[in-house]
Amino acid sequence: MVTPPPLKNDCFALPPGVDWTPVDDALGQLKSALRCVVSTEMVDIMDARDRFVAHDVPAPRASPPKANSAVDGYGFAGADINEEDVVRLSMHPERAAAGVPMQSAVSKGQAVRILTGAQLPEGVDTVVLQEDVATDGQQVVFHGPVKVGANTRKAGEDVNPKDIVLTAGQRLRSTDLSLAASVGIAEIECFRALRIGVLSTGDEVCDVTQTAAPHQIYDANRPMLLSLISAWGFVALDLGHVNDDRTELRERLDHAQESVDVLLTSGGASAGDEDHLSALLSETGSITFWRIAVKPGRPLAMGMWGKMPIFGLPGNPVAAATCAMIFARPSFNILAGGAWMVPRSYLVKAGFEKRKKSGRREYLRARLNGEEVDVFKSEGSGRISGLSWANGFVELPDHEITIKPGDCVKFIPFDSFN
Ligand code: AMP
Ligand code: MG
């Protein structure tokens, strides 16, 4: 097991002098600077879904291992009966069933009762469907000609030994586990599951299990971020909440470093008096105060705390959700041992009107209803009800644009981040 070296301190650095970084440049920077931060381990196939494969895995065995019947029917040597119109064969006394190899061979002039999945006995290379056969138990009669090899599966027709069945960096889905199991792979070397901590900041923020004082608001970010992380297939660790207190925050970051691979914080990422996360990250010299030309999404601070990368999300739940999905989610794939991910998107008809100026890319809370997409009535980034109403984003380009009902717009379903 080899633990990868920590990320470089400047991996979040943006080119100096750049004022507003376009979204694509920001994503490009993350894509090129981030590396896998987790070591590898052997994982039981039953626990391997959502893990990233550490290296290419060849098939130890062919699938199917032996030629077998694809149907329930009668097996014989195809070459024997090729041109005949009515074929009569005598019944072999044994029966070929799946998992029960036959004791004797099938000779010329004979047919054997064979079931789906049964290994072809010696002397058999062709099977006729039971529905196409008449038999009295002694004789088997059917119409020819029958193509040699009909209704059989060849050894290795799905996978040959040494074929690569799992590829380095691939994220394992249920169907991939089926393929691995079919060739006898019970354990897979994978990257350790990425542990992502979630920490909320702010004197006004109160845990939802407590009773908020009049001057407080409930923590709407932590339940959202923790459950997003689980839905994305990573390990989510609740690191609670911290007040706007620099010493306390410093201690919490030091502590987080021991238990997580990457940290998502919300709040305190601007340049205000009480924005202690950005202040602390500035001390380490690793922060990039990401002035990304995106709406919603300011402020987003990214930096290293020791060996731990931090995505300092805005406190605003709408902006926090947007930044988590657009910037953090694809980054997590790389940190976890995979490739950069691009969420699936679709061009759909707009059911709304909108005019936007040039400069910032916009992510509107959107809801796809059948063929048409609508956007939330208010763009205010404090409106959490819009997040809950939406089932995805409409992404509007950096440049100026006027959208009229019926125009095509880019819709990114929230599900496509999973
Ligand atoms: P900040 O980024 O800390 O300046 O916070 C921006 C806005 O988001 C403020 O109105 C905060 O009260 C609000 N906010 C910060 N954290 C949370 C949270 N965990 N849940 C709900 N609102 C929050
Ligand atoms: Mg705050």
Side-chain angles (χ1 to χ4, degrees):
M1 185 191 88
V2 183
T3 305
L7 294 172
K8 289 205 223 132
N9 203 37
D10 65 354
C11 69
F12 292 115
L14 285 177
V18 173
D19 228 20
W20 287 97
T21 309
V23 171
D24 285 339
D25 293 9
L27 295 176
Q29 162 70 16
L30 291 171
K31 182 178 174 184
S32 64
L34 293 177
R35 300 278 174 269
C36 173
V37 294
V38 281
S39 54
T40 67
E41 62 185 4
M42 291 308 287
V43 181
D44 189 294
I45 190 168
M46 297 302 182
D47 303 320
R49 194 177 65 110
D50 285 336
R51 292 295 196 93
F52 292 86
V53 175
H55 47 67
D56 290 0
V57 183
R61 183 191 206 226
S63 175
K66 300 277 185 202
N68 64 82
S69 180
V71 298
D72 292 338
Y74 295 85
F76 50 90
D80 282 357
I81 57 109
N82 237 351
E83 297 304 318
E84 291 168 55
D85 181 25
V86 173
V87 183
R88 281 171 203 283
L89 299 170
S90 64
M91 185 79 95
H92 186 281
E94 275 190 88
R95 188 186 74 148
V100 190
M102 279 192 17
Q103 302 300 310
S104 56
V106 174
S107 36
K108 201 171 149 75
Q110 280 188 322
V112 66
R113 174 73 173 136
I114 191 164
L115 301 179
T116 306
Q119 195 180 310
L120 299 184
E122 205 186 316
V124 171
D125 61 6
T126 305
V127 176
V128 61
L129 275 172
Q130 65 186 19
E131 293 84 338
D132 296 341
V133 162
T135 177
D136 59 0
Q138 306 293 313
Q139 277 210 319
V140 178
V141 183
F142 53 91
H143 285 288
V146 176
K147 216 173 132 200
V148 176
N151 298 312
T152 65
R153 308 169 179 138
K154 289 176 193 54
E157 78 172 24
D158 189 20
V159 181
N160 275 305
K162 302 211 170 66
D163 281 355
I164 299 299
V165 284
L166 304 174
T167 319
Q170 172 186 0
R171 189 170 214 188
L172 293 169
R173 303 163 307 159
S174 311
T175 44
D176 303 321
L177 301 180
S178 174
L179 174 62
S182 75
V183 292
I185 298 169
E187 281 192 318
I188 304 166
E189 189 166 358
C190 294
F191 291 103
R192 187 167 57 61
L194 189 72
R195 298 164 307 175
I196 305 171
V198 176
L199 177 68
S200 295
T201 74
D203 286 345
E204 77 283 30
V205 172
C206 170
D207 191 285
V208 69
T209 59
Q210 313 289 307
T211 303
H215 61 277
Q216 288 186 307
I217 56 168
Y218 285 112
D219 186 348
N221 285 337
R222 214 146 33 93
M224 170 178 71
L225 295 171
L226 287 165
S227 59
L228 276 176
I229 291 165
S230 307
W232 296 339
F234 302 108
V235 177
L237 287 153
D238 185 358
L239 302 184
H241 159 260
V242 61
N243 284 319
D244 290 319
D245 178 310
R246 202 165 299 186
T247 312
E248 203 189 328
L249 180 59
R250 190 196 306 274
E251 279 167 16
R252 298 291 281 274
L253 296 184
D254 284 342
H255 189 70
Q257 232 192 123
E258 308 299 318
S259 56
V260 306
D261 302 305
V262 51
L263 181 65
L264 275 188
T265 62
S266 67
S270 290
D273 298 349
E274 297 296 345
D275 289 318
H276 300 291
L277 181 84
S278 39
L280 284 175
L281 285 177
S282 303
E283 283 178 18
T284 72
S286 72
I287 193 179
T288 300
F289 217 3
W290 282 63
R291 284 182 300 262
I292 302 175
V294 61
K295 182 183 169 187
R298 279 178 300 159
L300 178 63
M302 289 184 256
M304 298 294 297
W305 188 259
K307 60 180 181 3
M308 176 178 71
I310 300 183
F311 289 77
L313 304 172
N316 228 305
V318 173
T322 308
C323 288
M325 291 193 228
I326 302 299
F327 299 102
R329 171 67 187 93
S331 304
F332 291 162
N333 249 41
I334 296 188
L335 297 174
W340 182 258
M341 73 97 76
V342 179
R344 257 174 295 110
S345 62
Y346 307 89
L347 285 179
V348 293
K349 281 205 179 82
F352 62 95
E353 246 176 290
K354 156 107 186 150
R355 224 195 143 115
K356 98 173 249 309
K357 285 187 271 183
S358 154
R360 285 203 280 169
R361 183 167 302 181
E362 289 190 24
Y363 292 94
L364 306 175
R365 273 83 71 216
R367 182 158 164 168
L368 185 67
N369 288 313
E371 308 266 281
E372 205 173 77
V373 67
D374 280 316
V375 294
F376 192 58
K377 56 185 188 291
S378 157
E379 287 180 25
S381 63
R383 300 286 291 269
I384 306 175
S385 55
L387 271 184
S388 177
W389 171 87
N391 55 20
F393 294 117
V394 160
E395 184 191 274
L396 298 180
D398 302 3
H399 56 78
E400 183 184 337
I401 195 166
T402 304
I403 307 284
K404 288 197 255 355
D407 286 354
C408 270
V409 291
K410 183 172 169 182
F411 176 70
I412 312 175
F414 290 153
D415 284 351
S416 69
F417 294 93
N418 291 354

